[in-house]
Amino acid sequence: MTGQQRRLSAHRIVPTAVEHLPMRPLWLCRRCGQPWPCGAAKLALVAEYRDSRVSLFLYLAGCLHDAIDDLHRLNPSVTGSAADMFDRFLGWPARHTHATGDTTTAAVRIEEASS
């Protein structure tokens, strides 16, 4: 390896792992290609918003609104039913809320496995 090659390889930026974030306007996961929020995104969201369940619902409600707009603009015939879109964005955290109001990652893992 020459000195020039060594310098180039020493300054090479290693790409960071892509997180499970939405790819807009398709609303697919950037990492795994599943409809967002995918199972891994759900786990990350539960962890991020573990102390603020209301904030999680507000964030997901905003995502739902944006997804409906984006998907309808792309192709109105494949946006999906309102019930399906609601369940995709807001149904999963509501189903996994205990009486105390806490969401758990174990409940999301069960949901992920059954999907």
Side-chain angles (χ1 to χ4, degrees):
M1 183 181 276
T2 68
Q4 176 68 18
Q5 289 172 328
R6 231 179 272 121
R7 277 194 300 275
L8 288 175
S9 65
H11 296 291
R12 187 177 331 165
I13 298 173
V14 178
T16 58
V18 176
E19 294 181 41
H20 291 267
L21 298 172
M23 178 175 45
R24 292 182 67 180
L26 299 173
W27 287 90
L28 298 175
C29 176
R30 289 182 182 273
R31 185 162 190 184
C32 65
Q34 296 297 312
W36 192 89
C38 62
K42 291 175 185 178
L43 289 172
L45 289 166
V46 166
E48 182 177 348
Y49 289 96
R50 71 181 160 270
D51 297 327
S52 183
R53 191 173 145 249
V54 172
S55 295
L56 173 61
F57 279 95
L58 290 172
Y59 171 70
L60 290 171
C63 290
L64 170 62
H65 180 270
D66 292 346
I68 289 171
D69 284 349
D70 288 347
L71 294 171
H72 185 75
R73 210 170 311 135
L74 284 176
N75 190 349
S77 64
V78 297
T79 301
S81 74
D84 290 342
M85 292 296 288
F86 180 89
D87 191 56
R88 175 177 166 183
F89 285 88
L90 295 171
W92 65 270
R95 284 191 304 273
H96 303 296
T97 303
H98 292 270
T100 61
D102 297 330
T103 45
T104 64
T105 55
V108 175
R109 285 190 188 113
I110 292 168
E111 164 71 14
E112 181 182 319
S114 65
S115 298

